[in-house]
Amino acid sequence: MMPTLPDVDALVTDALRSGLPGANVRVLWPPDGWEDLLPLVVASRVSGAAVDPRGIDVALVDVQCAARTRREANALARTARVVLASTCRAQFRGADGYLTRFQEVAGPAELRVGEPEAGPDLFRFQATYRVTARPNRP
């Protein structure tokens, strides 16, 4: 029987929480009240595929970092990159799997379009990473 794929969203957000203690880390951008959650990191799988019947999953992950100043948002995005790369290298474990490989697809860049709208007290940076997740062995 093929193993169930690990929950990449849970692994990535748990890994980011472990290394970004001052930030709120979520899978989805909150529809309301996000101003109270800054600094905020929103990380979720946007694409990818299982590359092996043993449950090895290669996922493309979108990571957005938001803060009240451009400098803070930029620093948070760069720190999130280091945290995610480091936790993959350390094979960060979660409830149903672990992260193993990290590859930067598109490095942190400022977002000035989209929702929520950028303004004088909201700055967002977005990056895309490829991570590999493997299921825990029974």
Side-chain angles (χ1 to χ4, degrees):
M1 182 169 145
M2 287 180 30
T4 302
L5 296 174
D7 183 343
V8 171
D9 285 341
L11 282 169
V12 168
T13 55
D14 287 349
L16 289 169
R17 278 185 196 106
S18 74
L20 300 170
N24 287 294
V25 180
R26 308 272 173 121
V27 173
L28 298 174
W29 194 275
D32 297 310
W34 53 263
E35 302 90 345
D36 298 329
L37 298 174
L38 297 176
L40 175 63
V41 177
V42 179
S44 62
R45 178 192 187 115
V46 293
S47 185
V51 296
D52 188 293
R54 293 173 291 176
I56 299 170
D57 192 10
V58 179
L60 210 56
V61 178
D62 176 80
V63 179
Q64 292 186 30
C65 296
R68 294 198 187 282
T69 70
R70 185 179 192 286
R71 183 175 295 242
E72 290 170 339
N74 186 350
L76 182 58
R78 291 179 288 117
T79 303
R81 176 186 176 275
V82 170
V83 168
L84 193 53
S86 298
T87 55
C88 285
R89 190 171 37 258
Q91 297 189 352
F92 180 87
R93 289 194 179 273
D96 63 354
Y98 60 101
L99 296 171
T100 62
R101 292 195 177 142
F102 171 90
Q103 179 185 13
E104 186 172 69
V105 175
E110 187 175 8
L111 280 177
R112 297 305 288 167
V113 297
E115 291 294 325
E117 191 174 319
D121 59 351
L122 174 64
F123 293 84
R124 288 188 302 155
F125 280 73
Q126 179 182 38
T128 307
Y129 306 111
R130 184 173 288 116
V131 298
T132 301
R134 296 171 181 261
N136 287 328
R137 291 190 176 91

